[in-house]
Amino acid sequence: MYLSTEKKEEIFKKFGGNAKNTGSTEGQIALFTYRINHLTEHLKKNRKDFGTQKALLDLVGKRRGLLNYYMKKDILKYRALIQELGLRK
């Protein structure tokens, strides 16, 4: 599996504060970003995998919603997060 428990804990520890804080907005955005990058690489090799393409679009929409929420909540932390994740916005 491409996303092990250790990798998830590492992502949440880096962005969410600790490994058990899986509900934090920052951690969820970082996890979605990791999954989006993985699916993007998969689709570069498998252009006709339409199920994965649909899943990718769903994840991008979920991340966009969380980013909009986070921007309204705290604009400075939002800017730092998109800078650290390397997102365009």
Side-chain angles (χ1 to χ4, degrees):
M1 185 164 185
Y2 77 95
L3 186 60
S4 65
T5 305
E6 293 82 24
K7 183 64 178 172
K8 274 188 187 180
E9 287 179 356
E10 176 187 328
I11 289 171
F12 283 116
K13 190 173 190 179
K14 183 175 180 183
F15 292 98
N18 64 11
K20 301 297 180 188
N21 191 7
T22 59
S24 69
T25 307
E26 303 97 332
Q28 288 181 14
I29 291 170
L31 182 64
F32 285 161
T33 301
Y34 179 83
R35 290 174 62 193
I36 287 168
N37 291 338
H38 175 76
L39 291 178
T40 302
E41 290 301 316
H42 172 78
L43 284 173
K44 285 180 183 177
K45 298 177 206 160
N46 306 288
R47 292 181 325 128
K48 295 186 177 184
D49 189 352
F50 299 115
T52 301
Q53 187 176 2
K54 169 86 168 80
L56 175 64
L57 290 175
D58 288 344
L59 274 177
V60 170
K62 284 182 182 182
R63 183 179 70 180
R64 180 77 258 153
L66 283 173
L67 283 169
N68 287 340
Y69 164 76
Y70 199 53
M71 182 174 58
K72 292 174 187 171
K73 183 179 170 190
D74 191 351
I75 189 74
L76 296 177
K77 287 184 180 179
Y78 165 80
R79 288 179 181 154
L81 181 66
I82 61 171
Q83 182 73 21
E84 190 169 353
L85 291 174
L87 302 177
R88 296 179 298 161
K89 179 63 181 165

